[in-house]
């Protein structure tokens, strides 16, 4: 019998980027800072008119994804997997990509499955939904 675990804690750090041109693909691995700089540059014009998100909004997104995160096995250490999520205006997840592997195939797979099962990013209290999110997932605090 296989044991399925839920992480005791899940931390999702993300950047909200809205509108603008898609980020340019790169064949070289990038640091989180380089990726965020690239996204900011690509969406700079749209940022001026981007909606402000409530302080509770990141937690709503964390809760939506965390409810779908299941681990088939214990994860050693505290690896970070980064995922870029693109949404439609109604919050439906249009695409998602693992932009930085954690080095743990089991953790990467669990994170990608959770994002896929989430299906829709909840809107903020204003009704706004970011068109691009970059989320970093860790299994432990």
């Amino acid at each position: 019998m296989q044991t399925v675990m839920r992480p005791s804690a899940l931390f999702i750090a993300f950047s909200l980027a809205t509108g603008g041109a898609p980020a340019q693909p790169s064949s070289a691995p990038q640091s989180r800072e380089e990726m965020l700089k690239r996204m900011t540059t690509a969406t700079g014009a749209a940022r001026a008119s981007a909606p402000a998100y409530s302080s509770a909004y990141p937690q709503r997104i964390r809760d939506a994804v965390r409810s779908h995160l299941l681990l088939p096995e214990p994860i050693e250490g505290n690896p970070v997997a980064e995922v870029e999520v693109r949404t439609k205006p109604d919050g439906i997840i249009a695409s998602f990509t693992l932009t930085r592997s954690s080095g743990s195939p089991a953790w990467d797979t669990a994170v990608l499955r959770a994002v896929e099962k989430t299906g829709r990013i909840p809107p903020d209290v204003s009704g706004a939904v970011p068109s691009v999110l970059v989320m970093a997932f860790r299994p432990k605090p």
Side-chain angles (χ1 to χ4, degrees):
M1 181 164 112
Q2 185 178 12
T3 303
V4 176
M5 301 175 17
R6 283 203 185 268
S8 59
L10 171 66
F11 294 91
I12 305 172
F14 62 89
S15 163
L16 299 174
T18 57
Q24 298 301 312
S26 171
S27 58
Q30 296 180 336
S31 72
R32 179 166 168 37
E33 291 77 22
E34 289 169 335
M35 186 170 55
L36 292 174
K37 182 178 177 183
R38 184 187 76 207
M39 288 178 65
T40 301
T41 302
T43 62
R47 270 193 183 268
S49 63
Y53 294 99
S54 69
S55 61
Y57 190 48
Q59 187 61 45
R60 289 187 67 205
I61 296 173
R62 283 184 194 99
D63 293 345
V65 177
R66 182 185 344 211
S67 68
H68 299 286
L69 188 60
L70 299 173
L71 299 175
E73 60 190 56
I75 303 295
E76 282 192 39
N78 199 19
V80 178
E82 284 189 357
V83 178
E84 180 181 283
V85 178
R86 294 185 177 270
T87 63
K88 296 179 180 181
D90 60 359
I92 291 176
I93 295 174
S95 66
F96 56 94
T97 306
L98 183 69
T99 55
R100 179 175 148 199
S101 173
S102 66
S104 167
W107 180 242
D108 292 347
T109 299
V111 165
L112 291 172
R113 278 191 190 139
V115 171
E116 180 178 24
K117 285 183 178 185
T118 300
R120 176 187 292 250
I121 299 299
D124 194 14
V125 292
S126 67
V129 176
S131 60
V132 179
L133 294 95
V134 177
M135 299 186 283
F137 296 82
R138 288 182 177 272
K140 301 172 189 168

